[in-house]
Amino acid sequence: MSLIHRLREALGGAAVLTDPDATEGYARDMMPLAPAGRPLAVVLPADTAGVQACVRACAEAGVPVVPRGAGSGLTGGANAVDGCVVLVTTRMDRILGLDADNRLAVVQPGVVNRTLRDAAAAHGLFYPPDPSSLEWCTLGGNLATDAGGLCCGKYGVTSDAVLGLEVVLADGSLLTTGRRTVKGVAGYDLTRLFVGSEGTLGIITEATLKLRPLPAAPGTIVAAFDSVERAGEAVNRVVRAGLVPSLMEIMDATSLRASAEYLRADLGAGDSNALLLCQSDAGGEQAAAELDSMERLFKDTGAQWTHATTDPAEGGLLLRARRVSLPALEARGACLTEDVAVPRTRIAELMAGCERIGAQEGLTVAVVGHAGDGNMHPTVLYDRASAEEYARARGAFDAILALALSLGGTVTGEHGIGKLKTEWLERELGPVSMRVHRQLKDALDPAGLFNPGALFARRRPAGGRTP
């Protein structure tokens, strides 16, 4: 029996796509640099049993399996390899339970981030991780890359919200990790091992997620500066003062003007070269005190102007300027978006360095980022029709990664390594760490069939073969 016939028999014909016109749409994510192959088939299971059946059939046939969510990734982590089965989890989109008393939710991987946020809010609860693509990215993809978002400085990344997982292993067996209690330290922390593993160790089919009490509607403050250095110093002063805003974002002049044009709004860009946008969700007098303190610090640092509001609608409009920054830049040309993180004290050095790299390559490099945790998103703009500009854009991309490492940073803060940054992962972690990574991969996926080429380059695993 052929693999396709077996998959259709186990999951139903409608859940198995083989027409190239249909499978092409599932072959890559949003990063144009990352390589992508042609899948043999795309499978869309509706439940854990369907995932198990697919994994078992592929294991017996020696065919790679590439897990995929909504395709909002930016590193090629869900990109197909030639002859693989792309296993798409978007039909597994149910919130299986929401326990308000214990502040947790049990979800399938196809649940959209915003859907869980809204469901939690109906119970007076809050799911903090909020990638900019929260309106359409799925929790399975968030778990695979350990996604972050705009409020990580206060609330942490996805792994900080995960209590337990259900994971299909390479032999089709089902592993349950973690707990539903507030505390629990029994055994190795297998939950965190799988979160951020980018589908290379197993396929997450269910997650138990921690919820928080719903915070107060945020107050917002915006401050403009004549240089990224002044803006960076303002961030340092906020941190030194012991303030923990629920959100602290930074935009350079290019991204600020792009958002203003995109929204057809006066964002006060003018002659400003950097904008800080901060929020406090502490509520009441505490929020007012935090906003006042930040405003005072910004003025002391030389802000050109500041504006504070406690009106949620106005704050939402101001925040929209940050959230639309990527589509606003895409309106100007093709984009290669980075995801580096540096110590917060070195944000200004990174931004200034990105400007130099852009000048050296003759390209525009715009920078926005999460100043609260140092996670920056430099974006290289180039002409998609020009092979020569594409080459220079790739050179700028690599130069920015090298710059981040030289500043004591990391090559990814929330998007993952995918199939794009495998060489850079080795540079950052070193040979001993990479050996341990490969040992874990070989132990859990000895045939190397789960998402080959993601995290580290494909090679012949111990006792196995390269698929």
Side-chain angles (χ1 to χ4, degrees):
M1 183 185 300
S2 72
L3 174 61
I4 300 301
H5 182 76
R6 183 173 175 183
L7 290 172
R8 286 178 171 153
E9 188 174 73
L11 287 89
V16 181
L17 310 178
T18 56
D19 187 319
D21 290 338
T23 60
E24 179 64 24
Y26 295 94
R28 63 163 52 253
D29 66 13
M30 295 178 65
M31 169 49 73
L33 279 183
R38 290 181 175 273
L40 172 69
V42 171
V43 173
L44 297 100
D47 53 27
T48 298
V51 175
Q52 290 180 283
C54 177
V55 168
R56 289 187 181 119
C58 289
E60 291 182 15
V63 170
V65 179
V66 176
R68 176 190 167 93
S72 62
L74 290 164
T75 63
N79 284 12
V81 297
D82 286 337
C84 76
V85 167
V86 176
L87 192 154
V88 183
T89 59
T90 51
R91 289 186 181 176
M92 300 173 66
D93 60 358
R94 290 187 298 142
I95 298 175
L96 301 173
L98 200 155
D99 185 342
D101 291 337
N102 287 305
R103 296 181 188 165
L104 61 84
V106 181
V107 302
Q108 291 182 310
V111 174
V112 171
N113 185 294
R114 168 63 79 181
T115 301
L116 177 59
R117 276 199 150 206
D118 291 345
H123 293 268
L125 297 171
F126 175 51
Y127 180 67
D130 67 334
S132 292
S133 56
L134 83 166
E135 301 289 349
W136 63 289
C137 66
T138 58
L139 295 171
N142 293 174
L143 291 160
T145 61
D146 201 0
L150 278 65
C151 61
C152 295
K154 182 172 183 177
Y155 293 109
V157 294
T158 296
S159 57
D160 295 304
V162 183
L163 292 170
L165 299 172
E166 179 183 89
V167 183
V168 174
L169 300 179
D171 61 358
S173 60
L174 191 64
L175 169 69
T176 300
T177 77
R179 64 200 189 280
R180 296 194 179 189
T181 55
V182 175
K183 295 173 68 177
V185 295
Y188 296 135
D189 191 349
L190 297 180
T191 301
R192 281 187 175 257
L193 175 63
F194 285 96
V195 176
S197 65
E198 303 187 38
T200 61
L201 301 179
I203 300 174
I204 297 170
T205 55
E206 185 179 298
T208 301
L209 303 174
K210 185 188 339 181
L211 305 176
R212 292 174 176 265
L214 188 66
T220 305
I221 182 167
V222 180
F225 298 86
D226 61 4
S227 69
V228 295
E229 288 78 14
R230 287 187 190 275
E233 176 56 24
V235 172
N236 295 341
R237 291 191 183 195
V238 169
V239 175
R240 284 199 299 267
L243 299 171
V244 186
S246 56
L247 178 151
M248 183 159 56
E249 296 293 299
I250 192 167
M251 302 176 70
D252 72 356
T254 301
S255 57
L256 179 59
R257 289 172 177 77
S259 288
E261 291 174 10
Y262 186 81
L263 295 173
R264 298 181 181 178
D266 179 9
L267 299 176
D271 60 351
S272 300
N273 287 310
L275 188 81
L276 282 180
L277 193 155
C278 306
Q279 290 188 330
S280 170
D281 63 4
E285 294 181 1
Q286 184 179 344
E290 287 185 352
L291 292 175
D292 287 345
S293 295
M294 285 189 282
E295 185 167 29
R296 186 167 57 253
L297 289 169
F298 296 158
K299 289 179 177 178
D300 290 346
T301 314
Q304 295 170 297
W305 57 262
T306 64
H307 175 69
T309 179
T310 55
D311 179 4
E314 185 181 8
L317 288 174
L318 293 169
L319 183 58
R320 180 163 162 72
R322 165 63 183 90
R323 288 199 182 275
V324 303
S325 58
L326 180 56
L329 291 169
E330 288 174 335
R332 294 186 168 197
C335 294
L336 299 180
T337 299
E338 285 273 22
D339 165 47
V340 296
V342 296
R344 288 173 294 201
T345 53
R346 311 201 75 172
I347 288 173
E349 292 176 77
L350 177 78
M351 295 179 74
C354 288
E355 185 176 2
R356 287 195 304 272
I357 289 168
Q360 289 165 4
E361 295 291 349
L363 298 170
T364 297
V365 179
V367 185
V368 300
H370 315 309
D373 56 27
N375 187 187
M376 297 290 105
H377 297 306
T379 297
V380 184
L381 279 70
Y382 68 101
D383 181 357
R384 195 186 307 274
S386 169
E388 190 267 339
E389 275 207 15
Y390 175 88
R392 284 190 279 130
R394 182 58 199 251
F397 189 90
D398 286 343
I400 292 168
L401 293 175
L403 172 63
L405 290 181
S406 74
L407 294 174
T410 175
V411 297
T412 178
E414 60 188 7
H415 294 169
I417 295 296
K419 298 180 175 71
L420 182 64
K421 299 181 181 179
T422 55
E423 174 190 345
W424 289 96
L425 180 69
E426 296 193 18
R427 292 194 196 186
E428 178 175 334
L429 298 186
V432 175
S433 180
M434 291 307 300
R435 185 190 74 211
V436 174
H437 273 70
R438 291 189 183 280
Q439 287 172 336
L440 288 168
K441 171 70 170 173
D442 290 344
L444 290 170
D445 181 21
L449 297 180
F450 275 163
N451 208 3
L455 282 184
F456 27 69
R458 298 172 71 177
R459 67 166 178 79
R460 185 182 299 276
R465 67 183 190 282
T466 300

